[in-house]
Amino acid sequence: MPAIAVIGAQWGDEGKGRVVDLLAEKAHMVVRFSGGNNAGHTVINQHGEFRLHLVPAGIFRPQATCIIGNGVVIDPAVLFEEIEELQKSGVDTQRLFISDRAHLIMPYHILLDGLEEDSKGSKAIGTTRRGVGPAFVDKIARLGIRTGDLLDKEAFRQRLAFVLERKNAILTKIYGIQPLSLKEIHESYCNYGERMAPYIQQTEFLVREALEVDKLVLLEGAQGSLLDPDFGTYPYVTSSSPLAGGACLGLGITPMQIRHIIGVFKAYTTRVGSGPMPTEMDKETAHVIREKAREYGATTGRPRRCGWFDSTVGRLSVLVNGFTSVALTRMDVLDILPSIKVCTSYRLEGKTLQQPPSNSSTLGKCEPLYEELPGWQSPTGHIRRFRDLPLEARRYVRKIEELLGCQVDLITVGPKRNEMISVRSFL
Ligand code: GDP
Ligand code: IMO
Ligand code: MG
């Protein structure tokens, strides 16, 4: 069995963590390939409730090797906090490996993320302020520092001195704040390097070995396709590609090695941060959903904006990822609604659009066209077979399949592992 990708299909927080925790039962390897600790993946299982930011959600499955690939940026402080929390809960973390090519989030990245956001005022992106964007900027600007660099302390000191000189110039001359100390950063990151050393590997070879002998490798996406720097709602996007294609670059595998691509869609829509969201609900309905579903960010605690299911942006997500399956999460959240709207297309200047415009300000002007479906108004959390869902709920699922042009193979009806309906097995 080759690689199977689990990809966020909307603006993040679709429930990727819980889907990966579920599918990892049969996985030999679970890998993260993009983003950083801007991600917050909630997993609830017999070990407790976890919000994973860097460690793959396969860590709870004793047979699964977990890998943080080269495409991820790592804040070592967050990584070790997470590892310690897992160990305290009795989870074995010795099966975790980190790519020696993964870039590090440095203290100046976190500072700059906040300073840049503050300086943008009302035009701020609403980033998670974890330094993820500035770390990817440095990767591309060839000013990054990688986990493998920490293993040679003197070479690392020289590299850091070179980079920090440039960062301190920005901090002092543009933002008028104190420069950062080379000695302090060098010391603390050498300490992280010593702790990280047992985890650091050339992970592309580990992944290749697993794929060569046909082991199941789960690719755990982070963020969502509509936050992709190319196909998302630019500039209100993240800074690495959450798309299935991003897994090839973020791990060193080939496109031909990915057999299935599962698009994880929430049964409605949420978004954290700024940027257009055509199907955003009125305040009262959004409030009902947010409080019922506890729609608050797993990383920053910010309230999530809530909206109706949007198949217009959904179809773009299907197109740019090539989903072979849809996993539809949080169906139970809709149990209370008397009727449910689904956006089928947009209207813009008298024209009907089946695909969203690429420009964020134009997207912001699009009027969503809805089809309104009757709600089922009965609990679904206990249901485990598709045919046992209320008729209206089945119709809702069929409508989404029709609008996306992709089959729904998994439905989740609660946050716990077993609270799901397997419509068709794809493993
Ligand atoms: P991720 O970033 O894609 O992994 O998603 P998050 O963990 O940020 O957000 C998903 C939220 O939905 C978490 O609080 C999950 O516990 C919760 N969740 C996942 N699936 C379901 C479901 O089927 N029903 C309900 N009620 N909650 C769910
Ligand atoms: P998971 O993996 C939801 C959003 C931020 C902001 C934009 C840029 O849990 O689905 P960044 O810090 O990446 O520079 O912020 O992207 N964002 C997410 N929203 N879920 C995430 O991850 C996100 N990661 C980043 O809110 O709008
Ligand atoms: Mg999340």
Side-chain angles (χ1 to χ4, degrees):
M1 179 72 77
I4 295 189
V6 178
I7 302 295
Q10 296 155 315
W11 279 285
D13 303 330
E14 300 91 348
K16 299 172 291 294
R18 72 81 39 93
V19 170
V20 170
D21 171 60
L22 181 71
L23 301 183
E25 184 179 13
K26 295 183 184 152
H28 174 73
M29 199 172 260
V30 182
V31 295
R32 273 277 309 268
F33 61 82
S34 66
N37 57 295
N38 45 357
H41 295 179
T42 313
V43 173
I44 305 176
N45 57 30
Q46 79 277 18
H47 295 282
E49 178 165 346
F50 301 85
R51 270 167 205 84
L52 299 170
H53 303 291
L54 285 166
V55 176
I59 199 72
F60 305 101
R61 303 291 193 171
Q63 86 292 350
T65 298
C66 288
I67 287 180
I68 301 177
N70 56 280
V72 178
V73 290
I74 299 176
D75 180 335
V78 174
L79 175 73
F80 287 114
E81 209 177 289
E82 199 161 297
I83 290 176
E84 276 161 25
E85 193 201 333
L86 287 163
Q87 288 172 343
K88 267 192 218 139
S89 306
V91 179
D92 168 28
T93 54
Q94 285 191 4
R95 298 164 286 108
L96 176 68
F97 297 101
I98 298 168
S99 167
D100 57 352
R101 297 174 192 268
H103 282 244
L104 291 162
I105 295 183
M106 305 299 289
Y108 42 82
H109 293 139
I110 302 172
L111 258 178
L112 285 167
D113 202 351
L115 290 165
E116 286 167 7
E117 279 288 275
D118 289 342
S119 75
K120 287 178 183 162
S122 65
K123 295 197 167 52
I125 306 295
T127 74
T128 57
R129 296 178 178 243
R130 298 299 190 262
V132 172
F136 278 114
V137 167
D138 275 358
K139 175 176 177 173
I140 303 305
R142 292 153 295 185
L143 286 173
I145 294 175
R146 311 199 292 184
T147 59
D149 295 337
L150 301 180
L151 304 179
D152 178 341
K153 288 181 186 171
E154 183 44 33
F156 167 49
R157 200 193 62 76
Q158 287 178 26
R159 174 77 178 156
L160 180 62
F162 171 77
V163 175
L164 192 60
E165 196 187 328
R166 280 150 184 79
K167 297 299 161 186
N168 275 338
I170 296 170
L171 293 176
T172 54
K173 292 182 189 157
I174 295 184
Y175 293 108
I177 64 167
Q178 290 296 311
L180 296 176
S181 150
L182 171 65
K183 187 166 175 289
E184 278 173 26
I185 301 180
H186 184 249
E187 269 175 21
S188 65
Y189 274 66
C190 281
N191 180 26
Y192 287 137
E194 283 170 19
R195 294 171 69 192
M196 219 183 271
Y199 298 96
I200 295 179
Q201 290 266 353
Q202 287 186 283
T203 54
E204 56 275 26
F205 295 104
L206 297 181
V207 181
R208 193 182 67 185
E209 269 168 33
L211 289 171
E212 269 177 1
V213 290
D214 237 16
K215 295 272 175 68
L216 171 58
V217 176
L218 267 188
L219 315 176
E220 176 176 344
Q223 287 79 56
S225 302
L226 305 175
L227 290 170
D228 179 71
D230 283 282
F231 292 102
T233 46
Y234 193 85
Y236 302 100
V237 293
T238 191
S239 38
S240 63
S241 178
L243 305 181
C248 298
L249 304 174
L251 289 169
I253 62 172
T254 74
M256 300 296 281
Q257 286 171 313
I258 307 179
R259 178 178 294 173
H260 289 303
I261 305 172
I262 303 164
V264 186
F265 284 85
K266 225 174 244 195
Y268 48 99
T269 307
T270 60
R271 174 164 203 172
V272 207
S274 319
M277 183 183 179
T279 61
E280 193 157 7
M281 290 165 175
D282 63 80
K283 279 205 169 62
E284 289 86 71
T285 320
H287 180 78
V288 170
I289 297 282
R290 188 177 306 117
E291 294 315 309
K292 171 161 200 279
R294 303 303 306 152
E295 286 290 5
Y296 290 90
T299 297
T300 58
R302 289 178 291 175
R304 292 175 181 150
R305 296 157 66 191
C306 296
W308 301 107
F309 190 90
D310 185 346
S311 71
T312 318
V313 283
R315 279 190 293 276
L316 177 66
S317 203
V318 174
L319 176 94
V320 295
N321 284 291
F323 295 141
T324 54
S325 274
V326 166
L328 193 64
T329 63
R330 306 203 102 180
M331 269 291 280
D332 56 300
V333 171
L334 303 179
D335 288 352
I336 47 170
L337 299 179
S339 71
I340 304 168
K341 289 189 197 176
V342 184
C343 168
T344 55
S345 53
Y346 297 150
R347 185 153 38 220
L348 180 71
E349 292 162 359
K351 290 196 187 112
T352 305
L353 307 183
Q354 296 297 331
Q355 298 285 352
S358 59
N359 182 296
S360 269
S361 63
T362 315
L363 180 60
K365 290 181 197 139
C366 287
E367 179 202 341
L369 299 177
Y370 290 113
E371 202 170 314
E372 197 149 348
L373 278 73
W376 44 95
Q377 291 190 287
S378 65
T380 52
H382 60 286
I383 295 174
R384 299 291 171 265
R385 292 185 306 190
F386 185 72
R387 62 172 181 271
D388 295 338
L389 280 173
L391 178 66
E392 294 81 0
R394 280 179 278 146
R395 285 200 176 136
Y396 186 67
V397 174
R398 295 301 179 217
K399 177 54 68 181
I400 285 175
E401 285 183 327
E402 179 196 317
L403 290 168
L404 293 180
C406 194
Q407 196 168 321
V408 173
D409 287 336
L410 179 76
I411 298 169
T412 73
V413 288
K416 298 194 187 124
R417 241 185 213 171
N418 68 332
E419 290 173 330
M420 57 96 185
I421 298 167
S422 172
V423 186
R424 182 184 70 151
S425 170
F426 43 75
L427 288 190

